[in-house]
Amino acid sequence: MVTTREGVSHRVEARSGLTLMEILRGAGFDEMQALCGGCCACATCHVYVDSAALDRLPPPESDERELLESSSHKSPLSRLACQVPFDDSLDGMGVTIAPED
Ligand code: FES
């Protein structure tokens, strides 16, 4: 389930092997700009993942952590969607698109 910045939730079909960013962009969530195309250089793919899914994700690398630190909207649930690989174990996870910095 994906929640937009306006608070509207949408069910999204997700394919294993893509990143969350690729899934969200492919589903038409253009408000998430993903300007660097997934190079972990822009932080415009900032999302909040639900707490149940957070522990199932690989931990962020140092470059992702540094970019998130620069966001004024960082929370303990923050991730950069381009750095989160999706697989079937994450089926049903919730993602909220973070406010724009
Ligand atoms: S798309 Fe730029 S950091 Fe994720």
Side-chain angles (χ1 to χ4, degrees):
M1 193 70 78
V2 178
T3 304
T4 65
R5 289 181 179 137
E6 291 74 35
V8 180
S9 294
H10 302 268
R11 189 168 191 76
V12 172
E13 290 296 319
R15 195 155 48 92
S16 194
L18 299 177
T19 66
L20 279 184
M21 181 275 277
E22 291 168 326
I23 291 165
L24 293 174
R25 293 289 299 176
F29 292 96
D30 294 338
E31 67 184 25
M32 193 189 69
Q33 295 183 320
L35 289 174
C36 77
C39 298
C40 200
C42 71
T44 60
C45 64
H46 185 182
V47 294
Y48 305 129
V49 298
D50 66 49
S51 53
L54 194 63
D55 292 340
R56 288 184 272 147
L57 301 179
E61 302 279 347
S62 60
D63 50 355
E64 180 183 356
R65 287 198 307 270
E66 284 170 21
L67 277 174
L68 286 171
E69 288 298 333
S70 69
S71 170
S72 51
H73 302 290
K74 182 180 182 294
S75 96
L77 302 175
S78 289
R79 293 299 304 259
L80 295 181
C82 71
Q83 300 303 302
V84 178
F86 184 84
D87 64 38
D88 292 340
S89 73
L90 298 172
D91 192 31
M93 76 182 290
V95 176
T96 300
I97 299 174
E100 196 168 6
D101 275 314

